[in-house]
Amino acid sequence: MRTEVSFIPNAEFSGLKPTQIVDSSDLASEVAENDGGRVPQFTPGLPAHLARMCATPLLTHEEERELFRWMNYFKFRANALRSRLDRNPEKLDEAEACIAKGERLRNYLLQANIRLVLSIARKFADARNSFDDLLSQGIASLMHAVEKFDFDRGYRFSTYATCAVRRDLYRLVMSRKKDLQRYTTGSAEQLDSTADEREPLDPNAEAEWKMLSSAVGEMIGQLDDREQFIVRKRYGLEGSVKKVSYSSLGRELGISKERVRQLANRAMEKLRESAVDRRLDALLA
């Protein structure tokens, strides 16, 4: 009674008569029976568990609309019954049945659109972002999109879901990129300072630290002269513990503060890409 059931409202819901209400089991079964001529074609070599996820064929616009319509109606009906349970407790079974019917339709909609998430996740996957992580986030985004889609606006759910999944995966990728940037920025400075403060390293740890320190030096050596100067000065790689400002670096180089910032960003992007190529994250694990 305290938990409100969320749904997308529609003006026609309150006017539906009991004789017009379909059984969700019949509706989903009818859609499935009509899928015989629309068996999906899978990408060769697709793993079995992914192929099973894509086993439900795509829906037509009319099928999609009907499934969303009745899913939201059953949730609307369950919420209406829930609000009256204090006066009519015998309606509890009907309310729970409506929730179960709505969930069955929701699950069918998810199954019919899972290949959309697979195709989008493949485009975002790279060395920094695993396909499995992106697929998991994409499915969560798809679930949220199913709950928020208004079927009465006339456009296809795939259009709405594509925007939602791409947006969330883009945010995930950019968030990880920022985390990597924070990790790589000042990493050499942290290595130098912590090496003096911590207790003596064991032989294996010391060898790894020397390998990492050497790799960082090689990475910086691949930058051009101005980029090397800015990185070494800006991040204290020449013995200074004080961070040199962009304005000071600009005066030394005879260029503007904004140009120094641009060069610094370009240098850090090169270092981040090199760090991934060299798998430095494995050394720091």
Side-chain angles (χ1 to χ4, degrees):
M1 290 174 61
R2 290 191 299 269
T3 303
E4 185 172 350
V5 182
S6 62
F7 60 92
I8 301 300
N10 191 280
E12 70 174 313
F13 289 166
S14 58
L16 286 176
K17 299 178 181 179
T19 55
Q20 297 174 281
I21 300 174
V22 301
D23 187 309
S24 68
S25 299
D26 293 340
L27 180 60
S29 299
E30 181 181 348
V31 170
E33 289 173 2
N34 293 334
D35 286 340
R38 290 180 278 135
V39 177
Q41 298 296 318
F42 302 123
T43 302
L46 193 68
H49 69 287
L50 295 180
R52 286 194 296 272
M53 293 173 67
C54 299
T56 304
L58 297 174
L59 299 169
T60 65
H61 192 185
E62 186 58 33
E63 289 171 344
E64 180 181 274
R65 177 180 172 81
E66 284 300 292
L67 289 171
F68 271 106
R69 176 178 182 238
W70 289 108
M71 179 192 76
N72 282 287
Y73 172 77
F74 284 126
K75 294 165 74 173
F76 159 81
R77 177 67 177 164
N79 193 58
L81 292 169
R82 176 203 62 81
S83 64
R84 299 196 297 267
L85 285 178
D86 56 340
R87 301 188 301 275
N88 300 291
E90 68 277 4
K91 293 292 186 179
L92 178 61
D93 289 342
E94 184 181 352
E96 290 182 339
C98 285
I99 290 176
K101 291 176 181 179
E103 288 182 348
R104 187 172 191 275
L105 295 177
R106 167 182 171 271
N107 291 340
Y108 195 91
L109 284 163
L110 289 171
Q111 293 164 11
N113 287 279
I114 200 70
R115 65 176 57 76
L116 174 68
V117 179
L118 288 171
S119 65
I120 297 174
R122 281 199 193 98
K123 296 176 182 178
F124 281 91
D126 56 24
R128 303 178 186 177
N129 303 279
S130 73
F131 173 77
D132 288 343
D133 287 347
L134 294 170
L135 178 61
S136 178
Q137 176 60 55
I139 291 175
S141 300
L142 179 65
M143 294 171 66
H144 183 72
V146 167
E147 298 290 344
K148 297 298 182 182
F149 179 67
D150 188 347
F151 69 92
D152 205 31
R153 294 193 175 184
Y155 49 83
R156 293 297 302 265
F157 173 69
S158 59
T159 303
Y160 178 82
T162 297
C163 293
V165 174
R166 281 180 177 170
R167 178 197 63 216
D168 291 347
L169 293 188
Y170 176 78
R171 288 176 177 174
L172 176 63
V173 169
M174 293 307 296
S175 175
R176 289 183 172 179
K177 184 176 181 179
K178 290 179 180 178
D179 289 342
L180 181 61
Q181 181 177 1
R182 285 194 294 269
Y183 159 71
T184 56
T185 299
S187 59
E189 178 183 7
Q190 292 178 346
L191 287 171
D192 290 338
S193 61
T194 54
D196 294 334
E197 296 172 359
R198 62 189 178 188
E199 295 181 359
L201 298 170
D202 62 60
N204 291 333
E206 186 172 4
E208 288 185 352
W209 182 88
K210 288 181 178 180
M211 186 184 303
L212 180 57
S213 180
S214 175
V216 171
E218 292 176 3
M219 288 160 53
I220 294 175
Q222 294 175 352
L223 303 175
D224 64 37
D225 291 342
R226 286 196 301 182
E227 291 171 344
Q228 288 189 44
F229 177 84
I230 291 171
V231 169
R232 293 183 184 279
K233 288 278 190 176
R234 177 71 175 170
Y235 301 108
L237 301 183
E238 296 187 339
S240 174
V241 296
K242 185 178 179 181
K243 198 171 187 179
V244 182
S245 68
Y246 288 132
S247 298
S248 297
L249 291 172
R251 285 193 295 270
E252 290 190 58
L253 291 171
I255 57 179
S256 69
K257 171 184 174 181
E258 183 56 32
R259 182 54 180 160
V260 174
R261 189 192 308 277
Q262 293 173 358
L263 291 171
N265 289 339
R266 186 177 71 183
M268 296 312 301
E269 183 62 29
K270 289 180 181 179
L271 292 176
R272 282 193 294 273
E273 292 176 358
S274 182
V276 173
D277 293 340
R278 292 169 178 267
R279 308 179 73 87
L280 294 188
D281 53 341
L283 291 176
L284 292 176

